[in-house]
Amino acid sequence: MTRIFSGVKPTGHLTLGNYLGAVRRWADVDQHRADALFCIVDLHALTVDHDPGRVRRLSRQAATLLLASGLDPERCTVFVQSHVDEHARLSYVLECVATDGEMRRMIQYKEKAARERERGGSVRLSLLTYPVLMAADILAYGTDEVPVGDDQTQHVELTRDLAVRFNQRYGHTFVVPRATHPQVAARVMNLQEPASKMGKSDNVGPGVVYLLDEPDAVRKKIMRAVTDSGQDVVYDREARPGVSNLLEILAACDGGNPEALSGVYESYGALKKDTAEAVVELLRPVQDRHKQLCADPAYVEGVLRDGAEKAREMARPRVDAAYRAIGLLAAG
C-alpha cells in the first residue's frame, strides 16, 4: 500500500491556505487511499526565535484542527514529531550525507536568513540544516508520496537526492519519495499581497484568513482583498494576481475551475461576496468540530500518544538499518 507522509509546522495559526492547499486533501483523499502519516513538526518551529509556551499551544491547536478537518485516527496516523526520537536520530545521519552547498541553495533558507539579517539578528544553524530534518521525517517511514505545496517541492527533491546518495554509498535503505500537488489552490496567496503566499507566520494579518476566524472577520478580510487595475474579472496569474487568487479560492471551495468562473462575474464586488460566503461555509463544520474537540482534551492527547507509538514502531527498524549501514555499532 502506498505510504504518505506530510506535516504542519506550529509557527502560527493554521490558515485557509493550509486547508485548501493541503489539509482538506489529506482528509478527503489521502487517508482513504494510502497508509498515511500526518505530523505536527514542532522541531522545525525551533529554527527561529520563538516563545516556548506558544509553540506548545500552537502544536496542540494544530493537532486539534487536523482532527477537526476530518483526519480519522482509525484511518491514518496523527502524531507530534518530537514524540518520536527517530526523527532526530536519522537527521544527524543524513547530515553526514548532505553537503553545505546543498543547504545554502535552499530558497527558503536564503529568504529567511536574509530577513533575519535585515532585522539585525543572527541566523540559527538549525535554519540551515532543517531541510535535512525534513528529509529524515520523510525517509524514516519508507514514504512513497509527500503531498506538499509548490514552495516545498525543492525540499522533497533534496530528500530524493539524499535517499539515492545514501543507497548508493551504503546499500539500499530508503524508499525514494515523490512530491504530489493538489490540482487547484496549491498555493493560496495573501489577500493584501497577492504576490506572496498566505502564510501562518505572516505579519499582514488582514491578508490572512485563519481557520478559526469568526465568519464576520472572514467576510471583512475577503471584501477588503486587493484586486487589480481594470474592471474585468479575468483569470490571469501574472497580470491579475489579486483577482486570480480570489477565483482560485472560490474554485477550491466549490470544486470548480477558476478560468471558467472568471466568465461568470461582471464585478469584483460580486466575486468577493461569493468567495467570502463560500469560505465561511467551508470553515463552518471545521470550527464546530474544533469546539467539540477542545471540550475533550483527553481525546486529543490519546490520539497523539497512540499515533506516536504507532509511528515509532514504523520508523525504528529503518532508522536502525540506516545506523548499521553507515557504520555505527548496533546497541546491545
Side-chain angles (χ1 to χ4, degrees):
M1 191 174 187
T2 299
R3 179 162 289 174
I4 288 175
F5 178 95
S6 198
V8 59
K9 185 164 56 174
T11 52
H13 301 287
L14 293 185
T15 72
L16 177 67
N18 298 130
Y19 185 73
L20 291 178
V23 177
R24 184 174 64 169
R25 178 181 172 84
W26 298 351
D28 291 351
V29 179
D30 292 333
Q31 69 172 340
H32 299 285
R33 70 177 182 87
D35 181 9
L37 298 99
F38 301 109
C39 182
I40 293 86
V41 286
D42 54 345
L43 295 176
H44 292 294
L46 310 184
T47 60
V48 294
D49 190 33
H50 64 277
D51 172 47
R54 185 170 186 265
V55 171
R56 284 190 290 270
R57 290 192 300 273
L58 289 174
S59 296
R60 179 180 293 278
Q61 183 187 87
T64 305
L65 279 169
L66 292 185
L67 297 174
S69 298
L71 293 189
D72 181 354
E74 297 298 320
R75 292 182 176 274
C76 64
T77 305
V78 181
F79 67 105
V80 176
Q81 179 190 32
S82 63
H83 294 177
V84 180
D85 293 344
E86 278 63 33
H87 291 254
R89 288 181 62 209
L90 182 56
S91 182
Y92 179 75
V93 167
L94 293 178
E95 283 186 17
C96 298
V97 178
T99 68
D100 175 75
E102 286 175 316
M103 297 301 98
R104 296 186 186 280
R105 284 194 295 271
M106 292 290 108
I107 294 172
Q108 289 203 12
Y109 169 74
K110 291 180 179 179
E111 293 176 348
K112 291 180 180 180
R115 287 197 296 268
E116 193 65 35
R117 293 188 182 102
E118 286 175 3
R119 292 196 292 263
S122 58
V123 179
R124 300 185 182 193
L125 178 62
S126 57
L127 184 62
L128 178 66
T129 61
Y130 93 90
V132 179
L133 176 58
M134 184 181 294
D137 298 336
I138 296 165
L139 297 179
Y141 297 99
T143 302
D144 299 294
E145 296 182 7
V146 188
V148 292
D150 294 340
D151 59 323
Q152 293 294 329
T153 300
Q154 187 185 33
H155 290 148
V156 180
E157 288 303 313
L158 173 68
T159 301
R160 290 171 55 84
D161 291 343
L162 295 180
V164 169
R165 189 177 306 154
F166 190 100
N167 290 345
Q168 290 175 343
R169 290 181 180 177
Y170 306 114
H172 186 79
T173 306
F174 297 117
V175 174
V176 180
R178 61 185 179 277
T180 59
H181 309 279
Q183 292 182 340
V184 177
R187 199 176 193 197
V188 178
M189 312 306 280
N190 189 293
L191 296 172
Q192 293 297 315
E193 297 181 358
S196 302
K197 185 182 72 168
M198 184 183 287
K200 297 188 299 296
S201 306
D202 208 316
N203 293 323
V204 188
V208 181
V209 175
Y210 298 103
L211 295 190
L212 295 179
D213 274 348
E214 294 291 334
D216 285 348
V218 173
R219 294 185 182 99
K220 182 180 293 185
K221 289 178 179 181
I222 293 177
M223 293 305 295
R224 293 179 177 177
V226 169
T227 49
D228 311 290
S229 60
Q231 297 298 318
D232 295 336
V233 179
V234 177
Y235 181 74
D236 185 332
R237 263 293 182 189
E238 297 298 322
R240 302 286 183 87
V243 171
S244 297
N245 188 38
L246 292 172
L247 287 167
E248 285 210 5
I249 292 171
L250 180 58
C253 288
D254 295 340
N257 181 291
E259 294 183 359
L261 286 172
S262 66
V264 173
Y265 293 94
E266 296 181 356
S267 70
Y268 293 160
L271 170 61
K272 289 181 176 181
K273 183 178 179 181
D274 281 3
T275 302
E277 293 308 316
V279 171
V280 167
E281 291 307 312
L282 180 76
L283 298 184
R284 192 184 305 280
V286 176
Q287 294 178 352
D288 289 346
R289 178 59 176 154
H290 179 264
K291 291 178 183 177
Q292 296 172 1
L293 290 170
C294 285
D296 188 8
Y299 171 75
V300 177
E301 291 173 3
V303 168
L304 297 179
R305 183 175 57 251
D306 294 346
E309 182 178 350
K310 184 178 176 183
R312 200 175 298 118
E313 291 175 354
M314 283 189 274
R316 183 165 295 165
R318 184 168 282 100
V319 176
D320 285 348
Y323 269 49
R324 291 192 300 272
I326 205 168
L328 300 177
L329 287 173

